[in-house]
Amino acid sequence: MVDVNLTGAKRITVRELTKFSTFNSNMCGFYEVITITKIYYDEHSRLWYAGCDWCRTGLHEASNTQYWCRKCDKYYYKVHLMYLFKMEIADHTDSHDVTIFNQVGEKLLGCKANFLSELFKKVKHIYTKHY
């Protein structure tokens, strides 16, 4: 996880982060990032997923335009999108891929995932309409 609020973040190099994550693959932490070199996004790698408001588990499509959380056993009519994406960070020592979760994604991108999804749809519509 990457802390975009730099107050209280531990300063380490990307090479140190890479060494740490190799031996502690199941641990998360907050680190100060100086340079984001790439955000992975294409038709196979999304920036968000439809998640349960309560437990954040991915929702499944159900009948009657509803979505179902199997963990909470709740149905939703409206989808709440949550960030979950990979990006590459770098400094003078190395580069490393990190996973960004919803709260940090909102801080990093400056908006909620639902808003960005709607913006992408509008841009795609304008692009396909005129070209």
Side-chain angles (χ1 to χ4, degrees), residues 78-91:
K78 186 176 180 185
V79 173
H80 180 77
L81 299 178
M82 297 181 186
Y83 288 116
L84 178 64
F85 61 92
K86 290 195 179 291
M87 69 181 197
E88 182 183 80
I89 58 172
D91 67 8

Side-chain angles (χ1 to χ4, degrees), residues 30-104:
F30 290 92
Y31 304 95
E32 178 178 341
V33 174
I34 295 174
T35 305
I36 299 168
T37 54
K38 186 186 308 181
I39 294 177
Y40 296 102
Y41 174 78
D42 60 30
E43 64 272 359
H44 303 292
S45 179
R46 296 274 180 196
L47 296 174
W48 50 74
Y49 69 100
C52 174
D53 286 336
W54 180 253
C55 72
R56 300 183 189 269
T57 300
L59 297 176
H60 302 278
E61 285 190 45
S63 60
N64 301 329
T65 65
Q66 291 183 340
Y67 296 86
W68 177 64
C69 175
R70 91 183 126 154
K71 188 174 181 181
C72 296
D73 195 25
K74 291 183 180 181
Y75 287 89
Y76 295 94
Y77 287 101
K78 186 176 180 185
V79 173
H80 180 77
L81 299 178
M82 297 181 186
Y83 288 116
L84 178 64
F85 61 92
K86 290 195 179 291
M87 69 181 197
E88 182 183 80
I89 58 172
D91 67 8
H92 65 284
T93 64
D94 207 349
S95 65
H96 187 69
D97 287 347
V98 294
T99 302
I100 303 299
F101 296 97
N102 193 53
Q103 184 180 6
V104 175

Side-chain angles (χ1 to χ4, degrees), residues 48 80-81 83 102 105-106 109-117:
W48 50 74
H80 180 77
L81 299 178
Y83 288 116
N102 193 53
E106 287 177 0
L109 299 175
C111 63
K112 298 211 177 275
N114 283 56
F115 177 82
L116 190 60
S117 171

Side-chain angles (χ1 to χ4, degrees), residues 121-131:
K121 288 176 187 174
K122 288 178 184 176
V123 169
K124 186 177 180 179
H125 176 72
I126 291 169
Y127 180 77
T128 55
K129 185 177 178 180
H130 294 290
Y131 299 99

